[in-house]
Amino acid sequence: DTGVSQDPRHKITKRGQNVTFRCDPISEHNRLYWYRQTLGQGPEFLTYFQNEAQLEKSRLLSDRFSAERPKGSFSTLEIQRTEQGDSAMYLCASSLARGVGMNTEAFFGQGTRLTVV
Amino acid sequence: AQSVTQPDIHITVSEGASLELRCNYSYGATPYLFWYVQSPGQGLQLLLKYFSGDTLVQGIKGFEAEFKRSQSSFNLRKPSVHWSDAAEYFCAVGPLLRGSNYKLTFGKGTLLTVNP
């Protein structure tokens, strides 16, 4: 097991373009999370999945953002019509929920750094 | 709403000196508490966590943290800092609920510089 993997590690895009990031969680983990981290700040929760179901979305996740986890394995995060304010590190994490109130801690990937020019 | 405060934005210590990073949280009940470390351009690595039980928890790399309910604090300590500890440290809180989704709220981080 190589941990949580994110691709690409870096992305530079022009304002108005669409971008898509991929996250591969730890293989047996059924929960997957997306966070965004801007310079000088801690990560902020965006959304999470249990298996293929998206169960919660933050108010930070505008209509231009969409996340999927079609088969309960990898996930994608797409940003449409990117804006300069979208420049940030996008972090993916995963955890294993064994039952009610029984979760492992979240393991984070190395992130995708997005720069919108 | 839950929140986490890390009062120190930047701390500088000498190698071999002791370290304490402060963390205060605001939450309606006893939360899950975490400390993560982030090296430049990297993701987050879990140092330690507190769920319940003994309020002094041991983590990796010689770190420990103490949960003090009366002070709503979860300070991180290390008796002797190594140059490789230079990084940014984040305290985080997660809801302690049945079926918790582990949605974490992070502090803004404390940047640790280690002088030789």
Side-chain angles (χ1 to χ4, degrees), chain A residues 45-49 54-63 65-67, chain B residues 101 103:
Chain A
F45 171 81
L46 292 179
T47 187
Y48 102 99
F49 294 83
Q54 188 174 17
L55 297 186
E56 185 167 340
K57 294 194 293 186
S58 162
R59 288 173 294 176
L60 294 174
L61 214 63
S62 75
D63 291 345
F65 288 70
S66 62
Chain B
N101 63 19
K103 178 175 68 176

Side-chain angles (χ1 to χ4, degrees), chain B residues 13-32:
Chain B
V13 300
S14 298
E15 191 169 16
S18 64
L19 172 70
E20 182 170 27
L21 302 182
R22 295 183 290 164
C23 172
N24 293 95
Y25 67 90
S26 173
Y27 190 68
T30 302
Y32 290 133

Side-chain angles (χ1 to χ4, degrees), chain A:
Chain A
D1 184 8
T2 56
V4 178
S5 176
Q6 293 189 245
D7 183 71
R9 292 290 310 278
H10 303 275
K11 177 72 176 178
I12 300 175
T13 190
K14 292 183 178 179
R15 188 175 52 188
Q17 297 294 304
N18 299 343
V19 294
T20 300
F21 311 141
R22 176 180 172 123
C23 171
D24 288 273
I26 294 171
S27 58
E28 69 270 23
H29 283 185
N30 52 5
R31 287 186 172 172
L32 186 148
Y33 313 82
W34 285 98
Y35 287 81
R36 181 174 69 187
Q37 184 179 21
T38 53
L39 203 60
Q41 302 294 318
E44 296 172 293
F45 171 81
L46 292 179
T47 187
Y48 102 99
F49 294 83
Q50 172 126 351
N51 300 312
E52 66 275 10
Q54 188 174 17
L55 297 186
E56 185 167 340
K57 294 194 293 186
S58 162
R59 288 173 294 176
L60 294 174
L61 214 63
S62 75
D63 291 345
R64 296 184 297 105
F65 288 70
S66 62
E68 295 183 341
R69 195 183 183 197
K71 296 183 179 179
S73 57
F74 74 92
S75 175
T76 59
L77 177 68
E78 181 183 16
I79 309 174
Q80 296 182 327
R81 305 180 304 281
T82 52
E83 302 172 356
Q84 286 188 322
D86 297 331
S87 296
M89 174 82 89
Y90 290 85
L91 294 164
C92 177
S94 69
S95 69
L96 175 63
R98 294 191 179 93
V100 174
M102 296 176 65
N103 299 322
T104 66
E105 64 267 23
F107 294 84
F108 283 80
Q110 293 188 305
T112 294
R113 180 165 296 285
L114 173 67
T115 302
V116 181
V117 297

